[in-house]
Amino acid sequence: MSQTSIKRKRLPLALGDKTFWRVTLALAIPIALQNMLVSSFSLVDTLMVSQLGDIQLSATGMAGQWTWLFNMVLFGISSGAAVFVSQYWGDNNVKGIHRTIGISVCSGLIISILFMAAALIIPDKIIYIFNKDPRVIEQGSLYLRYACLSYPALALTNILGSILRSAEHPKLPMVVSGISAVINGVLNYILIFPAGLGVKGAAIATALSAWIGPVLIIAISVARKNILCAPLGEILSFNLRTIAEFFKKALPVIVNETMWGMGTVTYNIIFANIGYEEYGAITIVRTFENFSFCFFLGLCNACCVLVGKQIGAGEIREGIRDSRRFMSLFPIVSVFVGIAVILLRKPLVSIFNLGSNISTYTIETAQWILVIYGVWVIMRNISYLTVVGIFRPGGDTSFGMVIELIVLWCFSVPMTFIAANVLHLPFLLVYAVMYLCEDIPKAFIFIPYWMSGKWIRPVTDAGCEGLEQFKA
């Protein structure tokens, strides 16, 4: 589809459409709340562990990078599944959804076992990648050895939750996340302080509470007979052909998220080797980034569902119109989030030093990182919305992968490394270099590509027919 063909249609933006807002808010609010609750896992861990000191805080943050990389692989599988589920949902193809559940869940469990095995066998070597301080390695290995027992549970919760959201059932994952978060907080307090287990207690609490998620989702789904409830034979009805079809679309997404996750881990290796105090500051900031990101995550998931549903049903005009609406909403939300982060940075960061065990340098560095984030957040999320919220549900899973990985590995990571280890710039400037070198090139490439309409690649018959009619 050429760029001029979309312009010729003169599709209205219609931000005042009440139906659009009703559907968007019904999807975005539960998803945002769910991810806020999920982020509270990290917040509670970080807040309580910060009372133990800089070493423990930095060590758990470094151990969390292995979990972060695992979650990126899971996100790739979930996003690949969402491409099919959202379009199948628009085409009323329930059997296709059930088959997608089987492929994605089996894939996620295999990956979770591999990551868990590595964390159990060589936790010290994983932590050594980030920091060579024996104290950090000891505490980080202790945390990782127990926290990794949550990985199969995380795989089930993330994939099943993504499928429910893609089929416009976002409330169940939200409720389950709330229950898990409460249990996590209670267990954290008991095991870290009264039981005196320290970082080991935080890890055990994380592992135990994570298993609440899949148990509740499966039990409630069976009771309510929702989209996840199907005969086991139908869920496992995939064969080599359907697996190949799934991974033809999903593999670029999995590779994208895995390699992007590895890029983030590489950034953190660079930061961690500058010093554990600097990395302690990043560990604090990441908790607030996760919370602010929940607003964008809710909107992006709503965009993914609406665009995918419209494209899958053959309503190409409506799919493009919805993508334009979200491209207009994201900058507005970014401005408000950025201002809030900057204004509230001091009281937010100060809650991590209630026990006065965190150095003044770590606290001040965390505050300045939040300023950088608040100023830059409007640019930070352009690639996220276009790639995850528009291109993928539209059926194009390859273009975003290629551009993101080229920019990340050929430009941003090398420039950040040079800034830290060759130019020896101050830590905050190194952090800013990462943002600038990653986000600016992607914005200049993804926005024109979105405007071209080349991302519209349906996977359903109705979608293909609708695209032909739209181009006519």
Side-chain angles (χ1 to χ4, degrees), residues 97-380:
I97 293 175
H98 291 160
R99 184 173 62 246
T100 302
I101 292 172
I103 297 173
S104 55
V105 165
C106 290
S107 301
L109 288 176
I110 291 171
I111 294 298
S112 71
I113 292 171
L114 293 175
F115 270 82
M116 183 173 66
L120 286 171
I121 297 170
I122 52 169
D124 54 333
K125 291 181 173 56
I126 293 173
I127 304 301
Y128 183 83
I129 295 173
F130 297 94
N131 195 281
K132 298 172 178 59
D133 189 317
R135 298 168 298 172
V136 175
I137 294 173
E138 179 187 3
Q139 293 294 307
S141 299
L142 181 62
Y143 181 89
L144 186 58
R145 187 176 287 113
Y146 288 91
C148 72
L149 300 177
S150 67
Y151 291 177
L154 292 175
L156 290 170
T157 301
N158 289 348
I159 292 171
L160 296 179
S162 176
I163 288 167
L164 286 169
R165 290 191 297 269
S166 299
E168 297 185 89
H169 295 295
K171 292 183 180 179
L172 177 55
M174 178 192 71
V175 172
V176 169
S177 296
I179 295 172
S180 299
V182 171
I183 294 174
N184 180 61
V186 173
L187 289 176
N188 259 290
Y189 177 78
I190 294 173
L191 296 177
I192 291 175
F193 300 114
L197 295 179
V199 296
K200 178 180 176 180
I204 293 173
T206 297
L208 290 175
S209 56
W211 280 98
I212 301 297
V215 171
L216 286 179
I217 287 179
I218 293 171
I220 295 173
S221 295
V222 171
R224 292 184 176 180
K225 301 188 185 304
N226 63 22
I227 193 65
L228 296 182
C229 189
L232 185 62
E234 189 167 301
I235 291 177
L236 299 178
S237 63
F238 52 85
N239 52 38
L240 290 178
R241 182 186 62 79
T242 53
I243 291 174
E245 180 185 347
F246 175 85
F247 280 102
K248 181 179 180 180
K249 289 289 185 182
L251 190 58
V253 182
I254 297 170
V255 171
N256 187 0
E257 297 304 333
T258 301
M259 295 302 293
W260 186 80
M262 290 180 66
T264 302
V265 170
T266 304
Y267 286 139
N268 288 323
I269 292 172
I270 295 171
F271 298 145
N273 281 286
I274 292 175
Y276 68 79
E277 286 182 304
E278 286 84 356
Y279 198 81
I282 290 178
T283 302
I284 291 172
V285 168
R286 288 277 157 78
T287 62
F288 296 117
E289 278 187 342
N290 290 341
F291 268 96
S292 65
F293 185 62
C294 290
F295 295 100
F296 305 106
L297 191 62
L299 286 174
C300 189
N301 273 271
C303 179
C304 181
V305 172
L306 290 177
V307 171
K309 182 180 178 181
Q310 301 286 18
I311 299 298
E315 303 292 342
I316 307 301
R317 177 187 295 269
E318 286 73 13
I320 295 172
R321 181 199 58 202
D322 285 341
S323 75
R324 292 183 62 207
R325 287 167 166 167
F326 284 100
M327 285 292 285
S328 300
L329 285 174
F330 253 61
I332 298 172
V333 175
S334 297
V335 170
F336 284 102
V337 170
I339 292 173
V341 167
I342 292 172
L343 293 178
L344 298 174
R345 67 189 186 279
K346 290 185 178 180
L348 289 175
V349 172
S350 65
I351 67 175
F352 285 89
N353 200 29
L354 296 177
S356 299
N357 291 319
I358 305 298
S359 69
T360 301
Y361 175 74
T362 297
I363 295 296
E364 291 178 351
T365 301
Q367 291 174 0
W368 279 110
I369 294 175
L370 285 177
V371 171
I372 296 172
Y373 174 79
V375 170
W376 196 247
V377 66
I378 193 169
M379 288 289 292
R380 191 71 179 151

Side-chain angles (χ1 to χ4, degrees), residues 65-80 107-108 111-112 114-115 247 250-268 387-388 392 397 400-402 404-406 408-409 413 438:
Q65 287 305 298
W66 186 248
T67 306
W68 161 262
L69 181 59
F70 167 63
N71 277 321
M72 286 299 96
V73 181
L74 278 187
F75 184 65
I77 295 172
S78 299
S79 296
S107 301
I111 294 298
S112 71
L114 293 175
F115 270 82
F247 280 102
L251 190 58
V253 182
I254 297 170
V255 171
N256 187 0
E257 297 304 333
T258 301
M259 295 302 293
W260 186 80
M262 290 180 66
T264 302
V265 170
T266 304
Y267 286 139
N268 288 323
V387 174
V388 179
R392 290 179 185 173
T397 59
M401 175 198 70
V402 172
E404 285 206 318
L405 297 186
I406 289 175
L408 177 68
W409 289 103
V413 168
E438 184 174 346

Side-chain angles (χ1 to χ4, degrees), residues 1-2 5-6 8-9 87 249 310-320 394-396 452-472:
M1 182 187 299
S2 67
S5 66
I6 288 182
R8 189 174 65 245
K9 299 294 181 179
Q87 292 200 28
K249 289 289 185 182
Q310 301 286 18
I311 299 298
E315 303 292 342
I316 307 301
R317 177 187 295 269
E318 286 73 13
I320 295 172
D396 186 344
S452 74
K454 295 177 182 178
W455 49 272
I456 304 173
R457 301 179 183 181
V459 299
T460 65
D461 292 337
C464 293
E465 292 173 4
L467 180 59
E468 291 301 319
Q469 293 174 6
F470 180 79
K471 291 165 63 176

